[in-house]
Amino acid sequence: MQIIRIIARLNIGGPALHTVMLTRALADLGYCTTLIVGEVPAGEGSAEYLARQSGVEICKVPALSRSVSLFNDFRAFIYILQTLRRKRPDLVHTHTAKAGALGRLAAWLVGIPVVHTFHGHVFHGYFSPFKTRWIMRLERFLARRSACIIAISQSQKKELAEIYRIAPAHKIRIVPLGFDLRPFVPIYENRNDAFLLNRIGWVGRMTAVKEPRMFPAIAAEIVRQGPGFQFSMVGGGELRNQVSADITQLGIKNECQLWGWRHDMPDVYRQLDLLCLTSRNEGTPVAMIEAMASGCLVVASAVGGVSDLLGAVESREEGFSFCRHGVLVLDRRPVIFARAVNALLRDLGRGQAMRRAAYVYAMSHFSQESLIKNIHDLYSEIVPGSVSALTVAAGL
């Protein structure tokens, strides 16, 4: 089966990890995939090394970028259109907003079935209300011309179908992300049950929607309540200088370190006891999944698919809730995050139960094997004749 897969950029983050792994694993089953990618902008860590390590060839289109440019967007669209006409794949699968818009429009014009994965969405926290309305209209237009829309969580499906009305529920398939989590297992297994919970981290792109500047404020609140804590921020982006200035202004330079982009994520989580996620919009945060798989506790904003990851609410406090797999922060103020962390400090038994349950959940729900089977089954529904031989060969 011939697939053309398109993603705007292979930056460090969930969509890139997911896309490279999916391309590699399907190739092992006999799928032939052309992976079209755009440029990783300055200030973002590149994950193109993952493609090289995995033996995945990429087709680089410099005009395809995350930023809006009518000239470059048109050039990228023409390239994609010409590629589809020349290769005539059985299916096009797009990932992320820009690639989804250009790729789906080109596939529709050529008459090739197309699937789009919403790794997150840009309907909240990114653009002005006027621009957001136009983006939603475009997404509805493209959804009507897509064979299927993939949501990565139940919460995201509800947002797409009921809140933003991008597509009817019957057209949206839930396919959770999948990763190779095996490198994180030894970290979980080697953790000491009598943990101190004094190494707290933040992982992600330092961009507005991730709210990285909130983390130094959280750290300062925790430091005020007692010494002995160490804070680490992993990642980079356009807000890095502001984050560094915040750390200095708050007087926590000795307690809070900026680690920059890191490729060795298992080693990162080995040095953390707790992960804070401060985002105002998320799909299914990969940092949370990796943290859970490594036995690192999670305190996270109640946005996007975060509540799906953290599981059932077990008890409620002012501004936050204890869930089965972590703490869900409803009131996104630094003082509330700090209060949630201190609540875990006062109840380490609860924290131990959380991280055991979170580990089991992550390993059972986000394996690459489940992802490959789900995607294979979906492709077989959309283009049934092209994957029958692969199904027999793979034993799926």
Side-chain angles (χ1 to χ4, degrees), residues 207-387:
T207 190
V209 75
K210 303 292 186 180
E211 293 276 19
R213 297 184 67 183
M214 186 183 293
F215 185 74
I218 295 168
E221 286 284 347
I222 295 173
V223 168
R224 287 191 195 101
Q225 298 172 23
F229 292 92
Q230 288 295 316
F231 303 89
S232 306
M233 298 189 72
V234 179
E238 66 266 23
L239 295 182
R240 190 184 190 281
N241 289 339
Q242 290 95 315
V243 170
S244 180
D246 291 342
I247 291 171
T248 300
Q249 183 178 357
L250 290 166
I252 55 171
K253 287 185 69 174
N254 292 332
E255 292 85 4
C256 191
Q257 298 179 326
L258 297 178
W259 287 358
W261 293 111
R262 295 279 294 268
H263 294 169
D264 53 339
M265 294 311 295
D267 189 57
V268 167
Y269 291 109
R270 184 179 290 111
Q271 300 176 62
L272 299 178
D273 301 311
L274 183 143
L275 176 77
C276 274
L277 184 138
T278 55
S279 304
R280 60 174 117 131
N281 190 357
E282 281 287 355
T284 298
V286 176
M288 281 183 60
I289 297 171
E290 292 176 340
M292 292 160 72
S294 61
C296 185
L297 287 169
V298 176
V299 175
S301 304
V303 296
V306 170
S307 59
D308 293 319
L309 288 179
L310 293 185
V313 173
E314 296 186 338
S315 65
R316 302 180 190 277
E317 304 289 337
E318 184 180 353
F320 63 91
S321 297
F322 287 112
C323 300
R324 180 165 175 75
H325 308 140
V327 181
L328 190 67
V329 178
L330 307 170
D331 182 342
R332 294 175 56 259
R333 289 182 293 154
V335 65
I336 302 300
F337 271 91
R339 193 179 298 161
V341 172
N342 280 304
L344 282 175
L345 277 172
R346 293 192 300 270
D347 192 350
L348 294 182
R350 184 196 288 268
Q352 289 289 8
M354 277 183 183
R355 76 178 189 180
R356 284 193 292 268
Y359 170 80
V360 171
Y361 177 78
M363 299 304 297
S364 62
H365 284 75
F366 299 101
S367 69
Q368 60 182 359
E369 292 79 15
S370 295
L371 171 66
I372 297 308
K373 184 179 187 308
N374 288 334
I375 291 294
H376 176 84
D377 290 345
L378 177 61
Y379 288 175
S380 68
E381 292 177 20
I382 297 172
V383 193
S386 298
V387 296

Side-chain angles (χ1 to χ4, degrees), residues 175-194:
V175 179
L177 298 177
F179 305 98
D180 182 4
L181 297 176
R182 289 172 297 179
F184 300 94
V185 174
I187 303 167
Y188 170 80
E189 293 176 341
N190 292 330
R191 285 194 186 270
N192 188 335
D193 284 343

Side-chain angles (χ1 to χ4, degrees), residues 1-4 81-92 107 109-112:
M1 184 176 186
Q2 300 285 331
I3 304 287
I4 285 186
L81 185 66
Q82 292 174 340
T83 301
L84 296 187
R85 285 175 172 165
R86 184 176 70 255
K87 289 184 172 288
R88 287 285 170 176
D90 298 295
L91 183 70
V92 174
L109 291 176
V110 178
I112 297 171

